[in-house]
Amino acid sequence: MNVPTVSLIEGDGIGPEITAATLRAVEACGGQLAWERVDAGAGAVARPGDPLPAATLASIQRNQLALKAPLATPSGGGYRSVNVTLRQHFDLYANVRPAKTIAGVPSRFTGVDLVIVRENTEDLYAGIEHYVDPRRTAAESIAIITRFGSERVIVYAFEYARRHGRRKVTLVHKANILKMSNGLFLDTGREVAKRYPDVEFEDMIVDATAMKLVIAPERFDVIVTMNLFGDILSDLAAGLIGGLGVAPAANIGDSGCAMFEAVHGTAPDIAGQGIANPSGLMLSAAMLLDHVGQPGAAQRLRAGIAAALARPETRTGDLGGKANTAQFTDAVVHSMIAGNA
Ligand code: NAD
């Protein structure tokens, strides 16, 4: 069997803790992956002196696959987000974030099964900002929306819907106010939708979407939206299924390169305590296993995680449990070994 090599970024904050847990779980599920550890983020600033060393970019370029734990981004000043830079550098334009109710995980909702496809390279995240005067009395940020960037991510969402037997794509925007930038995204969506008559299409204003997501999340299927709205709505969607601790993501481009990561950040408030929930990164690793053609291992891993999440005594603190990261991971691994998963 061809064993793919994956560039592995351990990340900052809780990153190393959840990475160690995820490597154990991937080994136990029979995933055939070779790991190549590379530096990035605050840890890399301390070591090679650069938050995104050239050796890291070269490794991902060579392997075309990465598993990335969260990286800290300084707020206000400091270096630019390494997460955003990686997505832009490898042109990973589609950020796929599934949010599906997990049996047994405490949550206000049941029956949630939606996927947010977030445009990953444009919008306000293009990084074009400046102060208008030296006294910094005002600042401007420019949102870039192109027809090219809109079309490829909307096509991705429709193709994703077809591939996964999903029935509807909801395009989320604010074109009533941002008539040109968001209007362009909406117009492009209406054009693309004509090519997919088998998939239902609707558009929805972002504020109404936020409300409907918390009133009737089950009405959504695939959501496609721009970078900022996608960022916000995918955390909201994670909240619908039990929280950030259980939300995975994939960043996909046309070149074949793909990077998998949890939706959550470095959780500095609990870092170093060994109590983080590693499910988000483990479920991202399951998406990676699917991506490289190892669906059996992916399924075993998902089932092992679900079994550990279903028992109150093996849940981590974010889900109301008392288990620490290692105890949760033991439960995932034992469940797979026992064949319960
Ligand atoms: P966060 O996601 O790190 O934390 C928000 C809350 O959720 C915290 O209370 C935290 O303890 C909890 N939480 C998050 N993940 C958890 C887990 N696995 N288990 C248990 N609890 C968990 O968001 P933040 O505090 O806004 O951001 C912290 C840092 O992370 C910032 O530097 C930010 O830029 C960065 N960040 C990185 C990524 C990424 O690497 N893709 C994503 C989001 C934020």
Side-chain angles (χ1 to χ4, degrees):
M1 179 190 211
N2 175 32
V3 177
T5 303
V6 183
S7 303
L8 178 68
I9 297 174
E10 276 198 342
D12 302 317
I14 58 170
E17 302 160 47
I18 59 173
T19 299
T22 299
L23 296 191
R24 273 189 68 202
V26 169
E27 193 181 350
C29 78
Q32 298 295 306
L33 301 171
W35 303 107
E36 189 169 283
R37 286 175 190 269
V38 290
D39 276 316
V45 174
R47 289 185 296 266
D50 179 351
L52 187 51
T56 299
L57 292 174
S59 166
I60 299 173
Q61 183 67 43
R62 195 168 51 245
N63 298 326
Q64 296 284 292
L65 275 177
L67 181 69
K68 186 185 78 60
L71 297 172
T73 305
S75 288
Y79 58 82
R80 187 159 184 249
S81 165
V82 175
N83 303 308
V84 174
T85 307
L86 278 171
R87 294 168 191 155
Q88 289 177 344
H89 183 88
F90 293 104
D91 205 18
L92 305 174
Y93 63 83
N95 191 335
V96 182
R97 296 180 157 188
K100 186 170 181 191
T101 299
I102 305 171
V105 172
S107 149
R108 288 176 190 274
F109 298 92
T110 55
V112 179
D113 183 8
L114 60 90
V115 178
I116 296 185
V117 179
R118 163 190 174 191
E119 202 291 321
N120 232 357
T121 61
E122 301 194 329
D123 198 4
L124 282 164
Y125 291 61
I128 306 170
E129 289 196 304
H130 61 260
Y131 292 105
V132 300
D133 61 0
R135 287 190 302 124
R136 301 187 171 187
T137 55
E140 288 177 345
S141 304
I142 297 176
I144 304 290
I145 305 289
T146 68
R147 192 175 294 281
F148 169 77
S150 303
E151 178 162 355
R152 65 181 181 170
V153 77
I154 296 165
V155 166
Y156 185 92
F158 275 98
E159 290 290 335
Y160 182 97
R162 264 192 188 162
R163 239 186 359 262
H164 293 86
R166 289 182 173 268
R167 62 181 201 291
K168 183 167 75 175
V169 170
T170 305
L171 181 147
V172 176
H173 62 87
K174 188 75 185 173
N176 52 333
I177 304 296
L178 302 168
K179 291 182 188 297
M180 293 184 194
S181 57
N182 283 223
L184 178 58
F185 191 75
L186 175 57
D187 284 349
T188 308
R190 287 178 173 151
E191 284 304 311
V192 171
K194 290 181 193 156
R195 294 181 230 154
Y196 296 87
D198 50 317
V199 181
E200 191 187 329
F201 175 72
E202 65 178 357
D203 73 270
M204 198 178 286
I205 291 172
V206 64
D207 30 341
T209 308
M211 180 198 64
K212 287 185 182 168
L213 271 169
V214 295
I215 286 185
E218 67 286 348
R219 76 173 296 293
F220 292 94
D221 197 351
V222 176
I223 291 176
V224 64
T225 188
M226 290 154 284
N227 211 336
L228 180 62
F229 297 156
D231 193 359
I232 298 166
L233 292 181
S234 52
D235 270 34
L236 191 159
L240 300 174
I241 57 157
L244 280 171
V246 294
N251 300 276
I252 310 276
D254 281 339
S255 67
C257 186
M259 181 172 78
F260 299 81
E261 60 180 332
V263 171
H264 63 74
T266 58
D269 50 337
I270 57 165
Q273 299 175 32
I275 57 170
N277 184 351
S279 301
L281 192 62
M282 287 182 182
L283 290 166
S284 305
M287 292 177 84
L288 191 161
L289 288 166
D290 273 333
H291 180 82
V292 298
Q294 299 183 29
Q299 192 40 41
R300 275 191 296 281
L301 179 52
R302 284 194 185 97
I305 297 164
L309 289 173
R311 287 195 295 276
E313 64 277 15
T314 53
R315 285 185 205 136
T316 45
D318 56 314
L319 299 176
K322 289 199 169 61
N324 60 28
T325 310
Q327 289 162 336
F328 174 80
T329 308
D330 286 345
V332 173
V333 169
H334 291 153
S335 169
M336 288 190 283
I337 291 172
N340 298 334

